[in-house]
Amino acid sequence: MTSTVPALGTRTAEGSALQAVLLDMDGTLVDTEGFWWDTEVEVFARLGHTLDEAWRDVVVGGPMTRSAGFLIDSTGADITVGELTVLLNDGFEDRIGRTLPLMPGAARLLAELAAHGVPMALVSASHRRIIDRILASIGAHHFELTVAGDEVARTKPHPDPYLIAAAGLGADPARCAVIEDTATGVAAAEAAGCRVVAVPSVAPIPPAAGRTVVPSLEDVNLPFLQGLMTL
């Protein structure tokens, strides 16, 4: 599940031009974007600082080092990025240990894609320790590989995670559908040359060329994703 070694060959889903589906995790498959913000608020409160609600849109969906650095710079907290990263991961793990709600339509979509043999990869800016915990609830068996934010030199908004995932599935990025919930993730997928379905979780995402915006995963199924390849 953790390998990013490219697989041999390129497969298709029942003869369609869709070769693979690459999915973000937080806010896309699991309703955890609020957990990250609540954790950040709690950790900084312990450090003696109050976070501005407006900063939530800045840190959502980004790599932890970028979010941590922004919050340290904004608050002047006396803590390093490395120290803060540990505290945030610890706090988040505590929250997902209590509850981990899936986004509406997530379980149905994963089951449908798996039933039709569509190769899938999970592509997240979260660290490996977090991904492995959440996979137990999402269903690790759905994914042929997973890409974690702390396992790539450049994570989202850079295209690297999605290029790695496509290569690992033996797929052409232009024939991959990506499902994302944040502007950061959308930017990464589009830079990789993928077709993108945006399902905004915290901040709005406008439609654009090669990008389709829907309100919920309930609006996404296999024919919908196959249709993106003809746009």
Side-chain angles (χ1 to χ4, degrees), residues 18-229:
L18 176 68
Q19 294 178 351
V21 177
L22 316 177
L23 302 106
D24 175 54
M25 186 177 72
D26 293 299
T28 299
L29 293 176
V30 287
D31 192 7
T32 50
E33 291 292 12
F35 287 12
W36 281 113
W37 178 248
D38 291 344
T39 300
E40 289 157 352
V41 169
E42 181 181 273
V43 167
F44 274 89
R46 295 204 305 267
L47 296 172
H49 299 277
T50 300
L51 300 188
D52 188 324
E53 183 71 22
W55 297 342
R56 181 173 183 172
D57 289 353
V58 178
V59 300
V60 66
M64 182 169 290
T65 52
R66 187 191 74 182
S67 299
F70 171 83
L71 293 174
I72 291 171
D73 290 343
S74 298
T75 60
D78 184 18
I79 190 171
T80 68
V81 169
E83 292 168 338
L84 180 56
T85 295
V86 172
L87 293 179
L88 293 177
N89 275 324
D90 287 346
F92 184 79
E93 276 197 275
D94 178 62
R95 277 181 163 77
I96 63 176
R98 290 179 248 157
T99 180
L100 185 57
L102 295 181
M103 297 298 287
R108 186 267 313 153
L109 178 61
L110 292 175
E112 178 184 1
L113 295 177
H116 289 84
V118 180
M120 287 182 279
L122 188 72
V123 183
S124 176
S126 289
H127 289 189
R128 170 58 55 189
R129 61 182 279 196
I130 299 298
I131 289 178
D132 287 345
R133 284 286 303 273
I134 291 179
L135 277 173
S137 296
I138 299 176
H141 61 283
H142 291 304
F143 306 101
E144 297 193 25
L145 65 86
T146 60
V147 180
D150 58 337
E151 295 175 342
V152 294
R154 300 191 309 169
T155 188
K156 304 173 188 179
H158 298 287
D160 306 35
Y162 282 111
L163 292 174
I164 289 170
L169 296 176
D172 178 355
R175 294 300 179 184
C176 292
V178 169
I179 304 178
E180 273 280 0
D181 73 303
T182 68
T184 298
V186 166
E190 291 179 344
C194 304
R195 296 299 178 97
V196 179
V197 179
V199 190
S201 62
V202 175
I205 300 174
R211 178 195 311 167
T212 303
V213 181
V214 298
S216 167
L217 288 181
E218 296 282 12
D219 300 297
V220 181
N221 56 24
L222 179 54
F224 176 91
L225 295 173
Q226 290 171 329
L228 297 178
M229 300 299 111

